[in-house]
């Protein structure tokens, strides 16, 4: 029968272990913990998460789209794991605070008891041990029978009071030690869990970085010119596209953009990778790469186009070109119902690309195609 304390600790550990196991890409944490129980828990958690890891390794991504999806997924898992880490730290912080408050209250109670215990003990001892009284208490010597009886009762009461105070003090000290130990065990479990989560985040970062590198290599292989100087060491990185939302239309930073197989053209990383994949399929069908006349348009470029040909370009700061999610195509696609247009209309969705509804009529722009991140995220 577990004590309430150990029952509580078991409950906490069970919750933490189940969380660690259910997390994607979880790996065995090589956490060095001081206690044996903590080590046991590490081993148990490691065993079950390793099988998850092996399952994921069973199907390594092969296509550009799969690589992009896996890289984005890994990055999302990092963010999730970090959030879990913060939440757990908060939770344990609250539990520890609660325990500390309890210990403090107990210490105060013990101090109060100690204050009472001292005079009580002294009084009772002096009554019993005064050598001048020949072993007879002053209560017995003085007064008549009734008074003596009453005083004996008083004495018994005092002795009982002293014993009660001592018993209470001992109980409180035990409780205090128990709570202090509970706090320590919770702290150890919390540190272990934190170490496991940190190890998980590190493994996820490694996987995300490996996937981005594979992706970059695959893109270079199909002719995308990823300049070492311009894109930094990250290459073509689709994992940080969620940051794109904080930048205004036409002001995307270079780190979020990625070149297309068509020299001089670029799009937001996820759209660019999807486009490169679509381009491979197009090339297989028509024997030539897609013809791109326009892609990402900075705010300055949008303004230049707008003032040169008003009515033919979206209002500056409103175009999906400024979000790095749209291309204008040539090579036949720009002709409505051409074989190229029809092929693209039938096949682009499988790569997250669409011809938006408005472009069929108002304004009629058969050349304008867009990447839909929502659609792309489902691939
Ligand atoms: Zn356009």
């Amino acid at each position: 029968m577990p004590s309430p304390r150990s029952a509580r600790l078991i409950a906490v550990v069970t919750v933490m272990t189940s969380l660690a196991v259910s997390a994607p890409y979880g790996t065995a944490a090589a956490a060095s913990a001081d206690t044996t129980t903590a080590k046991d828990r590490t081993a148990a958690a490691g065993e079950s998460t390793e099988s998850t890891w092996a399952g994921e390794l069973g199907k390594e991504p092969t296509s550009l789209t799969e690589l992009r999806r896996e890289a984005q997924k890994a990055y999302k898992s990092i963010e999730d794991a970090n959030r879990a880490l913060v939440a757990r730290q908060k939770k344990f912080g609250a539990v520890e605070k609660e325990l500390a408050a309890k210990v403090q209250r107990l210490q105060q109670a013990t101090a109060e008891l100690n204050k009472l215990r001292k005079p009580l003990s002294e009084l009772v001892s002096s009554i019993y041990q005064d050598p001048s009284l020949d072993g007879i208490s002053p209560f017995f010597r003085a007064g008549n029978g009734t008074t003596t009886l009453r005083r004996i009762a008083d004495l018994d009461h005092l002795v009982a009071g002293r014993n009660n105070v001592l018993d209470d003090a001992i109980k409180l000290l035990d409780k205090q030690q128990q709570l202090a130990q509970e706090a320590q065990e919770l702290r150890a479990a919390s540190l272990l869990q934190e170490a496991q989560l940190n190890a998980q985040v590190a493994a996820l970062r490694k996987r995300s970085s490996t996937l981005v590198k594979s992706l970059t290599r695959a893109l270079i292989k199909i002719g995308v010119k990823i300049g070492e100087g311009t894109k930094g060491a990250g290459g073509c990185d689709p994992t940080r596209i969620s940051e794109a939302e904080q930048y205004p239309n036409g002001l995307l930073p270079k780190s979020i953009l990625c070149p297309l197989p068509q020299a001089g053209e670029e799009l937001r990383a996820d759209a660019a990778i999807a486009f490169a994949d679509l381009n491979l399929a197009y090339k297989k069908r028509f024997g030539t790469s897609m013809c791109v006349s326009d892609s990402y348009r900075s705010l300055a470029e949008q303004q230049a186009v707008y003032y040169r040909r008003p009515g033919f370009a979206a209002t500056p700061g409103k175009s999906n070109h400024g979000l790095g999610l749209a291309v204008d195509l040539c090579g036949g696609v720009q002709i409505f119902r051409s074989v190229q247009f029809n092929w693209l209309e039938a096949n682009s969705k499988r790569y997250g690309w669409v011809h938006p509804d408005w472009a069929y009529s108002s304004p009629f722009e058969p050349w304008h195609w867009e990447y839909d991140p929502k659609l792309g995220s489902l691939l």
Side-chain angles (χ1 to χ4, degrees):
M1 179 72 183
S3 69
R5 178 180 61 81
S6 59
R8 191 165 162 195
L9 188 64
I10 287 163
V12 171
V13 170
T14 307
V15 168
M16 291 191 314
T17 311
S18 67
L19 281 172
V21 172
S22 64
Y25 302 114
T27 53
S32 62
D34 289 334
T35 62
T36 321
T37 47
K39 270 178 196 159
D40 292 346
R41 269 181 248 130
T42 318
E47 225 172 277
S48 35
T49 48
E50 255 167 34
S51 56
T52 319
W53 179 244
E56 289 294 335
L57 287 177
K59 47 176 182 74
E60 275 302 290
T62 48
S63 75
L64 283 174
T65 298
E66 276 177 34
L67 275 165
R68 174 186 60 76
R69 182 189 56 214
E70 290 302 315
Q72 281 178 247
K73 217 162 85 181
Y75 189 74
K76 199 184 163 293
S77 299
I78 295 172
E79 289 178 323
D80 290 347
N82 271 328
R83 265 195 294 276
L85 192 64
V86 171
R88 192 139 322 156
Q89 283 167 340
K90 231 184 217 170
K91 204 171 112 192
F92 270 104
V95 171
E96 277 199 33
K97 217 169 150 186
E98 200 184 305
L99 278 166
K102 263 190 205 170
V103 170
Q104 207 192 351
R105 278 201 300 277
L106 276 163
Q107 278 170 341
Q108 278 167 358
T110 312
E112 294 296 316
L113 279 168
N114 282 338
K115 269 189 221 157
L116 284 176
R117 187 180 66 169
K118 212 176 168 214
L120 261 176
S121 292
E122 278 168 7
L123 180 58
V124 173
S125 298
S126 70
I127 289 165
Y128 276 119
Q129 289 164 12
D130 192 337
S132 68
L133 301 175
D134 293 330
I136 302 163
S137 128
F139 296 105
F140 289 91
R141 283 197 312 170
N144 57 35
T146 315
T147 317
T148 306
L149 278 174
R150 197 165 55 78
R151 286 193 175 157
I152 290 169
D154 285 346
L155 180 62
D156 282 348
H157 182 70
L158 275 174
V159 172
R162 185 188 72 158
N163 288 342
N164 283 344
V165 167
L166 285 173
D167 276 357
D168 285 353
I170 287 163
K171 273 183 203 148
L172 280 165
L173 278 168
D174 280 351
K175 182 82 184 150
Q176 186 187 333
Q177 272 174 358
Q178 200 181 41
L179 277 166
Q181 198 190 339
E182 189 178 336
Q184 199 182 2
E185 281 180 45
L186 269 170
R187 203 167 295 131
S190 167
L191 284 171
L192 168 72
Q193 195 57 25
E194 207 174 306
Q196 282 176 329
L197 270 168
N198 277 324
Q200 195 185 333
V201 168
L204 283 165
R205 276 196 204 291
K206 203 174 156 208
R207 177 165 172 82
S208 171
S209 150
T210 305
L211 284 163
V212 170
K213 275 181 196 145
S214 303
L215 198 48
T216 304
R217 267 199 306 274
L219 286 166
I220 290 168
K221 210 170 154 188
I222 59 168
V224 178
K225 304 237 169 351
I226 296 171
E228 278 169 31
T230 51
K231 296 287 163 193
C236 188
D237 186 351
T239 65
R240 288 165 196 276
I241 49 162
S242 55
E243 290 171 22
E245 279 157 29
Q246 55 184 280
Y247 297 101
N249 187 303
L251 296 173
L252 296 190
K254 277 278 173 196
S255 59
I256 286 168
L257 295 165
C258 180
L260 300 186
Q262 291 75 5
E265 306 295 340
E266 57 185 358
L267 289 174
R268 205 175 89 170
D270 51 344
I273 294 157
F275 188 84
D277 220 4
L278 173 62
N279 191 59
L280 284 176
Y282 185 96
K283 208 168 168 182
K284 212 169 166 186
R285 167 65 181 83
F286 295 104
T288 170
S289 275
M290 280 193 277
C291 168
V292 178
S293 56
D294 210 352
S295 51
Y296 171 70
R297 230 179 263 158
S298 70
L299 193 59
E301 286 163 346
Q302 289 180 52
Q303 280 165 346
V305 173
Y306 185 74
Y307 293 122
R308 208 167 45 240
R309 300 184 70 196
F312 282 86
T315 311
K318 298 279 180 203
S319 164
N320 265 355
H321 285 283
L323 299 176
L325 297 174
V327 289
D328 290 342
L329 299 174
C330 34
V333 181
Q334 80 282 13
I335 301 158
F336 189 61
R337 290 293 160 232
S338 66
V339 61
Q340 290 90 347
F341 181 96
N342 287 344
W343 182 90
L344 209 57
E345 191 184 47
N347 293 284
S348 65
K349 281 189 185 70
R350 285 195 285 128
Y351 300 88
W353 281 85
V354 293
H355 187 53
D357 285 344
W358 61 260
Y360 282 93
S361 55
S362 88
F364 175 63
E365 287 187 10
W367 54 85
H368 181 96
W369 293 73
E370 291 182 355
Y371 178 71
D372 179 352
K374 272 201 195 105
L375 186 62
S377 69
L378 298 173
L379 300 172

